[in-house]
Amino acid sequence: MRRQWSLLRRVCLSDILREKLGPENHVAIWLPNSTGSALTNIALSNLGKISVNLNYTSTPDIIQYCLEKTGAKVVITAKRFTSKVSWPDIPGIQVLYLEELLPKVTMAKKALVLLLSKIFPKELFVRTIFKAKPAKAFDTVTVVFSSGSTGKPKGIMLTHAN
């Protein structure tokens, strides 16, 4: 049952993000290590997007540098998190809050996805309902930045094979 809830969350969050992100290729995530962060990374991967995991202890200048280096124009975070560590206002960056996205998933949508996941064969479900973009082993899945202890942080591109 636990796997079904995980699948349900990924499908629903992927659907919401698909609408919100459009053609954006790199999408930043500014969250602590948490279920929300992991779920967001997986949902972006399912959409064929490259997640840019920002270090929440970085200065606003470093965060802006990382966004510029990757070309990310959208940051996904949570109000609960930004109430403790405030997000720096960076011009041209759209901020999406998980608390505002998730309520858009209706109970009817959850029930339908759960039902279809039980009825459809796995490959048909992934292709038609989940609409996951098939990944190749050497496609970039995420960019993480070094601490920058010897200068500006370095972007490290990780592939699915990593």
Side-chain angles (χ1 to χ4, degrees):
M1 185 67 159
R2 192 175 188 135
R3 284 179 54 197
Q4 290 169 334
W5 285 116
S6 175
L7 174 67
L8 178 67
R9 285 185 242 167
R10 286 185 298 178
V11 171
C12 293
L13 183 57
S14 294
D15 280 352
I16 293 168
L17 290 176
R18 183 180 289 110
E19 292 172 18
K20 292 283 185 188
L21 298 176
E24 275 308 311
N25 193 36
H26 289 75
V27 180
I29 300 173
W30 197 57
L31 291 166
N33 296 334
S34 63
T35 302
S37 177
L39 185 62
T40 303
N41 272 283
I42 293 168
L44 290 173
S45 173
N46 291 333
L47 294 173
K49 308 290 184 186
I50 299 170
S51 62
V52 178
N53 287 277
L54 300 172
N55 184 338
Y56 58 88
T57 64
S58 296
T59 66
D61 290 342
I62 296 296
I63 291 170
Q64 187 167 1
Y65 170 80
C66 295
L67 292 170
E68 288 171 1
K69 282 304 248 184
T70 59
K73 301 281 184 226
V74 178
V75 175
I76 299 171
T77 189
K79 287 184 178 183
R80 185 172 174 196
F81 175 62
T82 58
S83 70
K84 295 177 176 131
V85 183
S86 64
W87 169 253
D89 187 28
I90 300 173
I93 301 299
Q94 177 188 8
V95 179
L96 300 176
Y97 295 97
L98 288 174
E99 295 93 339
E100 292 174 357
L101 298 174
L102 296 177
K104 295 178 182 182
V105 179
T106 64
M107 285 304 289
K109 170 79 174 186
K110 291 177 187 177
L112 180 63
V113 169
L114 190 60
L115 177 66
L116 293 174
S117 72
K118 292 184 172 290
I119 295 172
F120 278 49
K122 180 183 173 185
E123 274 136 34
L124 183 61
F125 179 82
V126 167
R127 202 171 50 245
T128 60
I129 306 302
F130 199 5
K131 299 177 190 156
K133 184 177 183 256
K136 296 184 178 110
F138 294 101
D139 287 345
T140 302
V141 69
T142 191
V143 177
V144 294
F145 282 87
S146 65
S147 64
S149 57
T150 60
K152 296 264 187 189
K154 317 278 185 302
I156 300 127
M157 296 185 295
L158 300 175
T159 65
H160 290 274
N162 292 126

